[in-house]
C-alpha cells in the first residue's frame, strides 16, 4: 500500500488536520507504519529538514515572535508577571493536556496533579520556609532540586498513564480525576513530607549568573523560553514516527495493535512526555506563586486546565496558550467588568457554549470566521472568474 | 492554517497589551485603599460582611481621613492563598493602591504577609486572618494586625472548663492550622492548671460523617471540646444528638457562632448552654458595642441581624488605619514612614474593648467567654459570661515558656 | 478455568486474612467502636449506593459519563428542602427531590445529549460545563449557608442496638431504603419490559434500535431515572448529613470511585463497590483518621491496577 493510499485510509476524521501537509511528511509516514520498520527509521537529512522548516515561516510568525519578546518592556510589571508569566506557565500545563487529549485521544485531568507533584518536589528538595507540622526541605541547590523534581513528576505521570491506559478511552477522564483528587488528599493529610493543608511557603526562584528570576521581566522570559521550547518540541514530536503512531492510536487502537505497535507502551510513553511538560509548568507555577499547597492541585485547578485546553482548541498546540491568555485575562479583570462573585458562572457558560457550538474552541471559531468572512471575498472572485 | 493561528495568537497578545496600557486615573487628594475579602468560595457570605465592616468604618469617619478622601477598591479571593496573593498583587501593582487591607482567612494571611515583604514601601493591614504564623513566624515589618489571632481567642475558656469541673476532656477538631491555634489557646492554661485532654480526634477538613469519630468517644470524659466550623459543626452536633451523646460541649470560636446557630433547619435545644470564646459576641453589654450594632443595622438593612465576626474584625482594622491617617494628617511620603511609625504605637478603644500592638505588630485585646442562650424572640445568641482583657500572643504564659512550646500543631500542646 | 479459580483463592486469602486479623484485634480492643464503625460503614455504603446507581445506569446504557451527577444530587436536595420547608412534609420533600432532578435529567437528554450520540468525550465535557454552571447558580440562589432537613421525629432519634446500645435510627432507615431501592431497581431491570430494553441496550445498542425500539425514548427514561436517583439521594443524604455548596463535588467523586471499583454499568457492581468504599472510609476514619481518606482511593488504584474494568465490570463492545 503506498503512502498516499495509507494516508487517505487513516485520515478518517474529516475536519481534523492532524497531519502536517508538507513535502517532508509522506516519506516518514510511509516508512513508519509498516511492521518491519517499528524501530524508528533515520529521518531525512537534517539540512533538508531545516531548510523545509525555515521555508514555512511567514511574516505573521515573525510578528508574533517579536510581539512576545517585546511584550514585557511595553507593559507594566503586573501585566508582565501576573498575566504574561502566569499565562505561559498555565499554557504549558494545558499544552500537555492538549497533546494527550487532542492528539492522543486521552483526556487526562491529572496533568495539574503532575504539575503539583513537581511543585511539591521543588519545595521539598530545594529551599522553602518551614512548614507548620514539621515538614522541612532538604535545601539542595536549584540545579539539583529542579531536575529531580521533574524526574519524580514524570515518574508519577507514567504511573498515572499506566493506571489509565488499560481501559477504554472515556474512562480516562474519570480515572485521572480520581487519581488527581487522591493526590490532593494525600498532600493535605500528610504533614511530615507534604506540609499538610498549608503546604510550603517562601519558595523562590534562584538567582542565576546574576539574573534574579524573582523579577517580573526575568521570570517572564524564563516562562517564555520554556513555553516556546515545549511548543516547538510538541510540534516536532507530532511529526516523528512516535507522534504519528500516537495519532494512529487515537483513531484506531485495534488496527495499530494488529500492525505490531505496543499500544500500552506507546500511550504510557505519551503520558510520560506530557508529564515532562506539565512538570516544567509546575516548577514555573511554584516559582510564580512562591508557595505550594494542596489547593494548587485541587479539583478546581484540574478543571481549569481542561477548560483552558478546550476553550483554546485542542486541534493545535497554540490553542493551549490561547486559552490560557483568555482565562487569565478573564480571571483578573472579571471583577472590573462584571461581578467577581459570578466568575465561575461566566467561565462555565463560556466553556459550555464552546463545547456545544464550537468544539474546536477559539481556534475553531477563528477558522469559521476566516472561512466565512475573510475568504468570502476570495471565493467570490474565484467563482466569478470561473476557476472551478 | 499556521498563519491563521499565529494571527489569532497575535490578536490575543495585542488585546492583553491594550488592556494593560489602559491605566486608572488617580485623583491627587484621595487615598486609595484596597479591601480584600472572600466574595467566592466557602466564605463568600462572611466575606461580604467583611466589606460591610470596611464600609461602615469609612462611613462613620465621613469618608475622609487625614484631610483626604478615602477611596475603597474592592478585591475578592476564594480562601485560597494563591488567589489572595494574585488579588493583592493586582491591587498593588496594577491599580496602585496606597494601603492594603485584608485578607480574610488564616492561610491567606500568611501568604499576603510574605508578599508584603516584597513591597516594604507600603502598609499592609490584616483583614480578619487569624493565623498565628502571620505575625509570630517570620513577621513582616509592614504587616499590621489589629485583631487578635485564633489562639488568643480561646484564652480563658480553659479556666472556665476547670471551674465547671471538667477535669478530663475529649477533643475533635479539623486537621489544619486554625484549629491548631485554637486548641493551643485553650490548652495553654488548661493543661498548666491540671486539666487533661485525654484524646484528640483530628479529622480531615470537610469531613461530613462523624459517626465513627463519635463512636470513639471515651466514656470517662467529663466534657467534649469541639473546634469545628460551619457545616462541619452542624453535622457533628446533629449526629452526636442522634447517637445519644449526652456529655456537655464546649465550642471553639466558630463552632457556635451565628452561622451555626441560625442554620436553616430545626433548632437544636441541645445547643443551649454551650460555652465558647472569641474576640466578640452578640451579647456584649457595653454602650460602645451597642452603638456599633445600631450603626451596622442602620447602614445595612440587608445585612445580618447583628454584625458578624468578620464585620467586626475588618471594622477595627480599618478604623485603626483611619485613626493613624488622621494622626499623620494624610502624609504618605517617604515610603509611608510616618504612617508605619504611628500604626506601630497606635492604641484605641474599639467597640469590643481596648486594642494595642505588641512588638510583632499583632494586637493585644480582649477575649469574651460566652454561652449560648435563647433570646426573648426565640432565636439563639451568645451571651457574655466573662471578658478577659489584655490577651497577648503568649497566651498567658511567659515569653520563655511560650517560645519553648512553639506554635500549635497536632501534638503541641499535649496533656493526656 | 483452574487458573482463574486458583487466582480467586489466592486473592481471597491475600486480602481476607489480614482483614480477619484486624477485625479480631479491633473487636477485642473496643467492641463497641468496631460494631459501631461497621454499622456506620454499612449505612454510608447505602447512601453511596443510592447516588452511584443512577450514575452507573446512565453510563451503562448511554456511555455518558455524567459528571453533572453531583450537581443533580445537590439540586434535588435544594428543591426538596424548599418544598419540605414550605409544607413541613418530609416525604413530599423526598418525592420532589426525585421528581425535580428527573425532570432536569430528562430535559438534558432530549435537548442536548440526544444530538451528541457517539461523541462521548464531547458529552462528558458538556456535563462538566453544566456542573460548573449549575453549581454557581445554586450558590447564587441559596447562598453558602448550611441547609438541614427535618425528618419525622420518629425516625430521627436513636434506637437500641446490640453491643453499641444506642444507634441513630435514621441511618438504619437509610440502609432499609437502599435495600428497597436496590431490589426495586433489580425488579425493574429484570422483570419489566423497559428494563429488558435497557439491558439489551447496554449489551448492544445497535441491535436494540434495529429491532424497532424507540431508542431515544428509552434513553430519555433512563437518564430521567438516573438523575432522579441522584436527587432522591440528595434529600435522603441531606437529612443525614446537611447540604451546602461542595456536596456536589463530594458525591460525584464518591460515585466515580464506587463505580470504578464496582464496575461500570452494573447495578450489582455499584452495590459491591459502595460496600467496599463505605466500609473502608468509616474504618479508615475511626482507626487511622489521618490517612483514612486516602484508603478509598488506594482501593481504587489497586482495583485499577489488577482489574481495570472494576470488580463486576466487563469490556463493553
Amino acid at each position: 500500500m503506498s503512502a498516499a493510499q495509507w494516508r487517505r485510509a487513516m485520515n478518517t476524521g474529516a475536519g481534523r488536520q492532524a497531519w502536517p501537509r508538507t513535502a517532508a511528511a509522506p516519506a516518514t509516514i510511509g516508512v513508519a507504519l509498516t511492521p518491519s520498520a517499528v524501530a524508528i527509521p533515520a529521518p531525512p537529512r537534517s539540512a533538508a529538514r531545516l531548510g523545509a522548516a525555515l521555508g514555512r515561516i511567514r511574516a505573521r510568525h515573525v510578528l508574533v515572535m517579536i510581539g512576545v519578546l517585546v511584550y514585557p518592556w511595553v507593559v507594566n510589571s503586573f501585566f508582565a508577571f501576573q498575566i504574561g508569566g502566569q499565562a505561559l506557565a498555565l499554557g504549558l500545563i494545558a499544552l500537555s493536556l492538549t497533546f494527550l487529549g487532542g492528539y492522543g485521544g486521552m483526556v487526562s485531568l491529572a496533568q495539574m496533579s503532575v504539575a503539583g507533584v513537581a511543585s511539591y518536589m521543588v519545595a521539598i528538595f530545594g529551599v522553602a520556609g518551614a512548614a507548620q507540622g514539621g515538614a522541612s526541605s532538604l535545601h539542595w541547590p536549584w540545579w539539583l532540586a529542579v531536575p529531580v523534581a521533574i524526574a519524580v513528576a514524570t515518574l508519577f505521570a507514567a504511573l498515572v498513564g499506566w493506571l489509565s491506559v488499560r481501559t477504554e478511552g472515556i474512562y480516562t477522564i474519570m480515572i485521572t480525576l480520581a487519581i488527581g483528587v487522591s493526590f490532593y488528599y494525600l498532600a493535605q493529610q500528610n504533614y511530615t513530607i507534604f506540609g499538610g493543608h498549608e503546604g510550603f511557603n517562601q519558595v523562590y526562584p534562584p538567582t542565576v549568573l546574576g539574573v534574579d528570576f524573582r523579577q517580573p521581566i526575568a521570570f517572564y522570559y524564563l516562562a517564555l523560553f520554556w513555553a516556546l521550547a515545549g511548543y516547538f518540541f510538541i510540534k516536532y514530536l507530532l511529526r516523528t514516527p512516535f507522534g504519528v503512531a500516537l495519532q494512529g492510536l487515537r483513531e484506531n487502537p485495534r488496527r495499530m495493535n494488529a500492525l505490531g505497535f505496543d499500544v500500552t507502551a506507546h500511550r504510557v510513553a505519551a503520558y510520560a512526555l506530557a508529564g515532562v511538560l506539565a512538570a516544567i509548568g509546575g516548577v514555573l507555577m511554584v516559582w510564580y506563586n512562591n508557595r505550594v499547597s494542596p489547593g494548587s492541585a485541587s479539583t478546581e485547578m484540574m478543571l481549569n486546565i481542561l477548560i483552558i485546553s478546550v476553550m483554546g482548541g485542542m486541534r493545535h498546540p497554540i490553542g493551549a496558550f490561547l486559552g490560557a491568555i483568555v482565562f487569565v485575562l478573564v480571571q483578573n479583570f472579571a471583577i472590573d467588568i462584571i461581578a467577581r462573585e459570578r466568575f465561575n458562572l461566566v467561565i462555565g457558560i463560556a466553556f459550555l457554549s464552546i463545547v456545544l457550538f464550537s468544539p474546536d474552541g477559539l481556534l475553531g471559531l477563528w477558522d469559521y470566521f476566516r472561512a466565512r468572512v475573510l475568504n468570502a471575498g476570495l471565493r467570490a472572485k474565484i467563482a466569478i472568474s470561473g476557476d472551478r | 492554517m499556521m498563519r491563521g493561528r499565529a494571527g489569532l495568537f497575535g490578536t490575543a497578545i495585542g488585546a492583553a497589551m491594550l488592556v494593560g496600557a489602559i491605566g486608572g486615573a488617580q485623583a491627587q487628594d484621595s487615598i486609595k485603599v484596597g479591601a480584600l475579602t472572600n466574595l467566592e468560595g466557602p466564605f463568600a457570605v462572611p466575606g461580604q460582611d467583611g466589606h460591610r465592616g470596611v464600609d461602615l468604618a469609612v462611613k462613620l469617619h465621613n469618608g475622609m481621613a487625614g484631610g483626604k478622601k478615602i477611596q475603597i477598591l474592592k478585591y475578592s479571593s476564594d480562601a485560597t492563598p494563591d488567589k489572595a496573593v494574585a488579588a493583592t498583587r493586582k491591587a498593588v501593582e496594577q491599580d496602585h493602591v496606597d494601603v492594603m487591607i485584608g485578607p480574610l482567612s488564616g492561610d491567606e494571611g500568611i501568604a499576603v504577609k510574605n508578599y508584603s515583604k516584597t513591597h516594604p514601601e507600603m502598609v499592609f493591614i490584616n483583614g480578619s486572618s487569624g493565623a498565628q504564623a502571620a505575625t509570630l513566624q517570620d513577621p513582616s515589618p509592614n504587616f499590621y494586625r489589629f485583631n487578635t489571632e485564633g489562639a488568643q481567642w480561646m484564652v480563658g475558656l480553659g479556666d472556665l472548663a476547670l471551674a465547671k469541673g471538667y477535669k478530663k476532656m475529649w477533643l475533635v477538631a479539623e486537621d489544619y492550622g486554625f484549629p491548631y491555634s485554637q486548641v493551643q489557646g485553650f490548652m495553654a492554661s488548661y493543661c498548666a492548671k491540671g486539666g487533661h485532654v485525654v484524646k484528640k480526634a483530628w479529622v480531615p477538613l470537610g469531613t461530613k460523617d462523624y459517626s465513627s469519630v463519635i463512636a470513639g468517644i471515651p466514656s470517662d470524659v467529663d466534657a467534649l471540646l469541639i473546634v469545628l466550623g460551619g457545616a462541619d459543626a452542624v453535622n457533628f452536633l446533629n449526629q452526636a444528638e442522634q447517637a445519644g451523646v449526652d456529655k456537655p460541649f464546649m465550642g471553639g470560636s466558630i463552632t457556635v457562632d451565628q452561622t451555626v446557630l441560625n442554620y436553616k433547619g430545626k433548632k437544636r435545644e441541645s445547643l443551649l448552654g454551650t460555652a465558647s470564646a472569641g474576640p466578640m459576641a452578640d451579647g456584649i453589654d457595653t454602650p460602645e458595642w451597642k452603638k456599633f450594632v445600631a450603626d451596622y443595622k442602620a447602614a445595612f438593612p440587608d445585612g445580618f441581624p447583628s454584625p458578624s465576626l468578620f464585620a467586626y474584625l475588618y471594622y477595627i482594622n480599618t478604623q485603626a488605619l483611619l485613626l493613624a491617617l488622621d494622626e499623620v494628617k494624610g502624609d504618605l511620603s517617604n515610603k509611608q514612614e510616618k504612617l508605619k511609625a504611628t500604626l506601630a504605637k497606635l492604641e484605641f478603644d474599639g467597640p469590643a474593648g481596648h486594642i494595642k500592638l505588641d512588638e510583632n505588630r499583632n494586637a493585644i485585646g480582649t477575649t469574651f467567654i460566652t454561652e449560648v442562650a435563647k433570646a426573648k424572640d426565640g432565636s439563639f445568641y451568645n451571651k457574655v459570661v466573662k471578658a478577659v482583657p489584655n490577651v497577648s500572643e503568649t497566651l498567658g504564659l511567659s515569653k520563655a515558656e511560650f517560645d519553648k512550646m512553639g506554635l500549635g500543631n497536632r501534638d503541641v500542646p499535649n496533656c493526656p | 478455568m483452574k487458573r482463574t479459580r486458583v487466582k480467586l483463592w489466592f486473592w481471597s486469602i491475600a486480602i481476607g486474612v489480614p482483614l480477619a486479623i484486624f477485625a479480631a484485634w479491633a473487636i477485642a480492643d473496643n467492641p463497641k467502636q468496631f460494631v459501631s464503625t461497621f454499622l456506620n460503614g454499612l449505612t454510608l455504603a447505602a447512601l453511596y449506593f443510592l447516588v452511584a446507581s443512577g450514575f452507573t445506569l446512565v453510563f451503562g446504557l448511554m456511555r455518558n459519563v455524567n459528571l453533572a451527577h453531583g450537581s443533580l444530587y445537590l439540586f434535588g436536595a435544594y428543591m426538596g428542602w424548599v418544598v419540605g420547608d414550605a409544607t413541613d412534609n418530609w416525604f413530599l420533600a423526598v418525592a420532589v427531590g426525585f421528581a425535580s432532578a428527573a425532570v432536569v435529567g430528562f430535559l438534558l437528554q432530549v435537548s442536548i445529549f440526544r444530538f451528541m450520540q457517539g461523541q462521548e468525550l464531547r458529552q462528558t465535557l458538556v456535563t462538566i460545563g453544566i456542573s460548573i454552571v449549575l453549581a454557581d447558580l445554586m450558590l447564587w440562589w441559596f447562598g453558602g449557608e448550611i441547609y438541614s432537613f427535618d425528618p419525622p421525629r420518629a425516625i430521627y432519634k436513636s434506637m437500641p442496638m446490640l453491643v453499641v446500645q444506642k444507634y441513630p435510627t435514621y441511618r438504619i432507615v437509610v440502609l432499609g431504603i437502599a435495600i428497597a431501592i436496590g431490589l426495586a431497581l433489580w425488579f425493574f431491570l429484570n422483570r419489566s419490559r423497559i428494563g429488558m430494553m435497557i439491558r439489551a441496550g447496554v449489551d448492544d445498542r445497535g441491535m436494540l434500535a434495529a429491532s424497532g425500539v424507540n431508542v431515544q425514548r428509552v434513553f430519555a427514561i433512563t437518564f430521567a431515572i438516573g438523575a432522579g436517583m441522584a436527587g432522591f439521594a440528595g434529600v435522603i443524604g441531606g437529612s443525614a448529613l446537611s447540604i451546602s455548596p461542595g456536596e456536589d463535588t463530594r458525591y460525584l467523586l464518591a460515585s466515580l470511585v464506587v463505580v470504578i471499583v464496582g464496575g461500570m454499568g452494573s447495578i450489582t457492581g455499584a452495590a459491591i463497590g459502595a460496600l467496599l468504599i463505605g466500609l473502608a472510609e468509616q474504618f479508615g476514619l475511626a482507626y487511622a483518621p489521618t490517612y483514612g481518606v486516602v484508603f478509598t482511593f488506594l482501593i481504587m488504584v489497586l482495583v485499577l491496577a489488577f482489574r481495570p474494568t472494576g470488580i463486576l465490570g466487563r469490556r463493553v463492545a
Side-chain angles (χ1 to χ4, degrees):
Chain A
M1 196 187 265
S2 81
Q5 276 176 310
W6 180 266
R7 233 183 316 134
R8 250 177 279 131
M10 289 294 279
N11 200 1
T12 51
R16 280 200 240 130
Q17 326 210 19
W19 325 116
R21 287 185 295 182
T22 65
T28 47
I29 293 179
V31 171
L33 296 177
T34 51
S36 57
V38 168
I40 294 177
R45 295 226 311 271
S46 352
R49 276 241 319 303
L50 190 59
L54 284 176
R56 283 197 301 276
I57 296 181
R58 300 271 175 273
R60 286 158 186 79
H61 304 151
V62 176
L63 276 176
V64 171
M65 198 60 166
I66 293 179
V68 292
L69 285 171
V70 162
Y71 174 75
W73 302 104
V74 302
V75 299
N76 63 13
S77 67
F78 169 77
F79 264 84
F81 189 71
Q82 186 145 314
I83 304 289
Q86 192 185 31
L88 288 168
L90 283 178
L92 194 54
I93 303 176
L95 179 64
S96 72
L97 177 58
T98 300
F99 169 66
L100 271 182
Y103 293 94
M106 311 172 272
V107 177
S108 155
L109 285 176
Q111 295 308 105
M112 195 62 207
S113 303
V114 173
V117 169
S119 302
Y120 265 104
M121 292 302 128
V122 167
I124 292 172
F125 287 115
V127 179
Q132 196 167 0
S136 56
S137 30
L138 293 176
H139 291 272
W140 289 0
W142 67 270
W143 44 266
L144 195 54
V146 171
V148 169
I150 295 180
V152 173
T154 307
L155 271 173
F156 176 73
L159 176 68
V160 172
W162 182 73
L163 283 172
S164 318
V165 296
R166 279 122 50 80
T167 54
E168 293 299 307
I170 201 64
Y171 281 77
T172 312
I173 288 192
M174 287 176 42
I175 291 168
T176 51
L177 177 62
I179 293 176
V181 171
S182 57
F183 171 71
Y184 169 83
Y185 277 116
L186 179 67
Q188 186 183 273
Q189 292 305 111
N190 177 295
Y191 275 82
T192 45
I193 304 180
F194 286 99
H197 187 74
E198 275 148 42
F200 290 92
N201 279 309
Q202 298 176 321
V203 184
Y204 297 122
T207 301
V208 182
L209 298 174
V211 179
D212 180 10
F213 284 104
R214 287 179 66 176
Q215 299 308 315
I217 296 188
F219 180 82
Y220 173 84
Y221 281 120
L222 180 69
L224 181 65
F225 171 75
W226 286 110
L228 286 173
Y231 174 75
F232 288 119
F233 173 68
I234 290 294
K235 284 190 63 79
Y236 164 75
L237 190 67
L238 288 170
R239 298 154 51 75
T240 61
F242 173 81
V244 171
L246 188 69
Q247 293 167 81
L249 284 173
R250 177 195 67 207
E251 297 294 334
N252 199 328
R254 229 193 230 170
R255 203 182 274 181
M256 297 297 283
N257 198 14
L259 285 173
F261 285 90
D262 186 343
V263 175
T264 307
H266 253 90
R267 283 179 166 167
V268 173
Y271 267 94
L273 281 169
V276 173
L277 285 179
I280 298 176
V283 173
L284 287 172
M285 283 305 287
V286 75
W287 282 348
Y288 166 80
N289 281 316
N290 297 323
R291 57 185 312 286
V292 63
S293 65
S296 315
S298 63
T299 317
E300 192 195 334
M301 286 305 291
M302 295 196 282
L303 287 177
N304 282 344
I305 297 292
L306 178 70
I307 289 174
I308 289 174
S309 288
V310 171
M311 268 210 311
M314 280 213 193
R315 256 202 299 143
H316 190 277
I318 202 81
F321 294 101
L322 208 53
I325 292 179
V326 171
F327 184 82
V328 167
L329 280 174
V330 174
Q331 194 178 48
N332 277 285
F333 292 101
I335 193 174
D336 298 325
I337 306 172
I338 28 146
R340 170 75 191 197
E341 302 105 74
R342 302 273 78 82
F343 163 73
N344 276 319
L345 187 62
V346 169
I347 283 281
I349 290 180
F351 180 73
L352 201 53
S353 320
I354 291 218
V355 181
L356 284 174
F357 304 118
S358 170
D360 288 322
L362 290 171
L363 289 176
L365 277 178
W366 176 254
D367 282 344
Y368 179 80
F369 173 68
R370 260 184 51 234
R372 279 306 184 92
V373 177
L374 294 184
N375 290 348
L378 186 61
R379 280 213 300 274
K381 267 197 239 160
I382 293 176
I384 289 171
S385 66
D387 249 317
R388 264 286 151 189
Chain B
M1 180 177 49
M2 271 277 273
R3 76 167 81 131
R5 290 203 177 86
L8 180 55
F9 190 63
T11 313
I13 295 205
M17 283 200 215
L18 191 63
V19 178
I22 298 174
Q26 194 172 334
Q28 295 301 13
D29 59 346
S30 70
I31 299 181
K32 277 164 105 170
V33 177
L36 170 66
T37 73
N38 286 5
L39 292 177
E40 324 147 55
F43 293 109
V45 171
Q48 262 183 318
D49 220 31
H51 270 314
R52 289 193 199 114
V54 174
D55 290 340
L56 184 63
V58 172
K59 178 166 178 284
L60 292 178
H61 228 81
N62 297 320
M64 309 267 287
K68 300 199 182 151
K69 190 167 163 332
I70 298 290
Q71 190 190 1
I72 300 283
L73 295 163
K74 293 199 174 156
Y75 298 94
S76 156
S77 114
D78 65 350
T80 58
D82 296 340
K83 287 240 180 77
V85 172
T88 311
R89 193 182 291 124
K90 177 164 183 264
V92 171
E93 297 178 22
Q94 170 73 0
D95 300 333
H96 302 294
V97 298
D98 297 306
V99 178
M100 193 70 202
I101 299 182
L104 184 138
S105 80
D107 290 339
E108 292 176 318
I110 300 174
V112 169
K113 178 253 305 185
N114 283 328
Y115 175 78
S116 72
K117 292 185 187 172
T118 64
H119 283 274
E121 74 281 2
M122 60 180 275
V123 161
F124 290 80
I125 299 185
N126 186 40
S128 65
S129 161
Q132 286 172 299
T135 49
L136 266 183
Q137 205 176 50
D138 273 333
S140 161
N142 52 324
F143 184 82
Y144 299 82
R145 174 151 63 182
F146 284 92
N147 58 292
T148 47
E149 34 90 332
Q152 291 168 283
W153 292 351
M154 293 286 270
V155 170
L157 194 60
D159 296 332
L160 180 66
L162 288 168
K164 285 194 177 192
Y166 304 153
K167 293 257 181 344
K168 288 198 204 166
M169 293 187 73
W170 175 85
L171 166 72
V172 60
E174 288 141 338
D175 204 353
Y176 74 106
F178 178 69
Y180 296 161
S181 315
Q182 292 248 294
V183 170
Q184 186 182 27
F186 177 85
M187 285 174 75
S189 55
Y190 182 74
C191 290
K193 296 191 180 151
H196 294 279
V197 175
V198 171
K199 195 167 151 209
K200 295 184 193 170
W202 297 107
V203 296
L205 189 58
T207 303
K208 279 300 181 110
D209 198 343
Y210 291 95
S211 32
S212 300
V213 175
I214 293 171
I217 298 179
S219 43
D220 60 342
V221 292
D222 301 314
L224 313 177
L225 178 63
I226 302 168
V227 184
L228 303 168
D232 299 352
V234 172
N235 284 327
F236 181 87
L237 294 166
N238 275 342
Q239 287 165 35
E241 188 192 333
Q242 281 179 54
V245 170
D246 54 3
K247 305 224 187 272
F249 302 149
M250 280 197 144
S253 307
I254 51 173
T255 306
V256 282
D257 68 342
Q258 282 298 316
T259 44
V260 172
L261 292 180
N262 289 321
Y263 73 85
K264 305 250 190 301
K266 212 167 85 166
K267 295 242 180 303
R268 306 287 173 213
E269 299 284 326
S270 53
L271 284 178
L272 286 174
T274 307
S276 117
M280 47 87 67
D282 317 317
I284 295 178
D285 225 355
T286 61
E288 294 88 8
W289 181 260
K290 294 203 166 119
K291 177 175 182 302
F292 175 62
V293 174
D295 289 333
Y296 173 90
K297 282 195 185 140
F300 307 111
D302 62 339
F304 289 129
S306 178
S308 72
L309 176 70
F310 300 94
Y312 166 70
L313 294 174
Y314 271 86
Y315 175 85
I316 47 173
N317 278 305
T318 314
Q319 194 184 20
L321 172 67
L322 297 173
L323 289 172
L325 281 173
D326 278 341
E327 219 174 283
V328 301
K329 303 208 188 350
D331 181 2
L332 296 175
S333 61
N334 203 2
K335 299 195 183 160
Q336 300 182 0
E337 58 169 3
K338 283 202 189 142
L339 182 62
K340 287 182 198 163
T342 312
L343 279 170
K345 297 192 315 278
L346 190 66
E347 271 191 53
F348 65 102
D349 283 323
H354 190 73
I355 297 173
K356 65 177 189 243
L357 293 186
D358 64 11
E359 72 273 8
N360 289 326
R361 289 160 297 283
N362 192 75
I364 300 176
T366 313
T367 295
F368 294 90
I369 314 290
T370 61
E371 267 181 19
V372 178
K374 201 192 254 193
K376 282 191 273 287
D377 63 354
S379 65
F380 288 11
Y381 76 106
N382 283 306
K383 180 178 75 165
V384 175
V385 165
K386 187 164 174 237
V388 182
N390 286 329
V391 177
S392 77
E393 277 200 298
T394 55
L395 307 175
L397 306 170
S398 74
K399 190 161 186 327
E401 280 177 328
F402 182 80
D403 283 343
K404 202 164 106 176
M405 200 195 276
L407 288 189
N409 62 37
R410 254 187 230 164
D411 303 311
V412 167
N414 223 8
C415 53
Chain C
M1 217 21 102
K2 185 135 193 292
R3 262 197 83 201
T4 325
R5 292 194 62 192
V6 170
K7 248 171 75 166
L8 203 61
W9 272 114
F10 170 72
W11 281 116
S12 311
I13 294 179
I15 298 175
V17 168
L19 280 181
I21 295 177
F22 165 75
W25 168 83
I27 293 178
D29 182 55
N30 187 345
K32 183 161 171 266
Q33 186 171 23
F34 180 81
V35 173
S36 182
T37 311
F38 182 76
L39 285 171
N40 293 334
L42 214 57
T43 49
L44 184 64
L47 182 58
Y48 282 165
F49 170 71
L50 283 176
V51 186
S53 57
F55 186 77
T56 200
L57 195 63
V58 165
F59 180 82
L61 177 62
M62 293 174 287
R63 312 278 293 148
N64 183 348
V65 179
N66 180 12
L67 292 179
H69 197 71
S71 308
L72 289 167
Y73 173 96
L74 197 57
F75 178 76
Y78 276 131
M79 291 295 115
W81 187 89
V82 165
V83 167
D85 192 48
T87 63
D88 253 345
N89 185 338
W90 182 76
F91 296 97
L92 196 57
V94 174
V96 167
F98 178 86
S100 56
V103 163
V104 172
F106 180 84
L107 287 173
L108 284 176
Q109 169 64 24
V110 303
S111 59
I112 300 182
F113 296 128
R114 181 158 65 150
F115 304 109
M116 292 188 203
Q117 223 36 60
Q119 301 171 43
E120 293 160 1
L121 178 62
R122 193 166 164 213
Q123 280 181 331
T124 307
L125 293 178
V126 168
T127 59
I128 292 178
I130 290 174
S131 75
I132 297 176
V133 169
L134 263 181
D136 203 59
L137 283 174
M138 287 190 285
L139 179 64
W140 195 3
W141 189 261
F142 291 100
E145 288 130 7
I146 311 137
Y147 289 74
S148 207
F149 288 86
D150 200 11
R153 201 83 186 115
I155 58 173
Y156 216 53
K157 296 196 300 264
S158 51
M159 64 188 262
M161 172 77 61
L162 32 85
V163 182
V164 297
Q165 280 111 45
K166 279 198 249 183
Y167 195 73
T169 316
Y170 187 71
R171 294 186 78 103
I172 303 290
V173 168
V174 172
L175 183 60
I177 292 178
I179 295 178
I181 296 281
L183 286 172
L185 269 177
W186 188 87
F187 267 104
F188 173 70
L189 284 177
N190 287 304
R191 293 278 183 268
S192 76
R193 250 181 72 85
I194 298 197
M196 189 170 61
M197 290 191 239
I198 292 179
R199 274 184 299 129
V202 173
D203 281 339
D204 195 333
R205 226 181 329 182
M207 279 305 279
L208 182 68
S211 54
V213 173
N214 184 346
V215 174
Q216 286 306 325
R217 196 146 52 117
V218 177
F219 283 3
I221 293 177
T222 311
F223 207 106
I225 293 178
M229 288 299 304
F232 176 79
V235 178
I236 300 280
S239 307
L241 321 160
S242 53
I243 46 170
S244 54
E247 288 299 279
D248 49 350
T249 322
R250 203 179 111 84
Y251 282 99
L252 173 66
L253 286 170
S255 307
L256 279 183
V257 178
V258 164
V259 296
I260 289 176
V261 167
M264 282 293 227
S266 158
I267 300 282
T268 328
I272 294 182
L275 258 178
L276 276 175
I277 298 298
L279 285 169
E281 197 177 299
Q282 284 299 316
F283 273 100
L285 190 58
Y287 289 98
T290 314
Y291 291 109
V293 70
V294 188
F295 278 3
T296 50
F297 293 103
L298 202 61
I299 292 181
M300 181 195 78
V301 167
L302 283 173
V303 167
L304 279 176
F306 294 106
R307 210 180 149 79
T309 45
I311 294 181
L312 282 188
R314 44 210 174 121
R315 278 195 182 276
V316 199

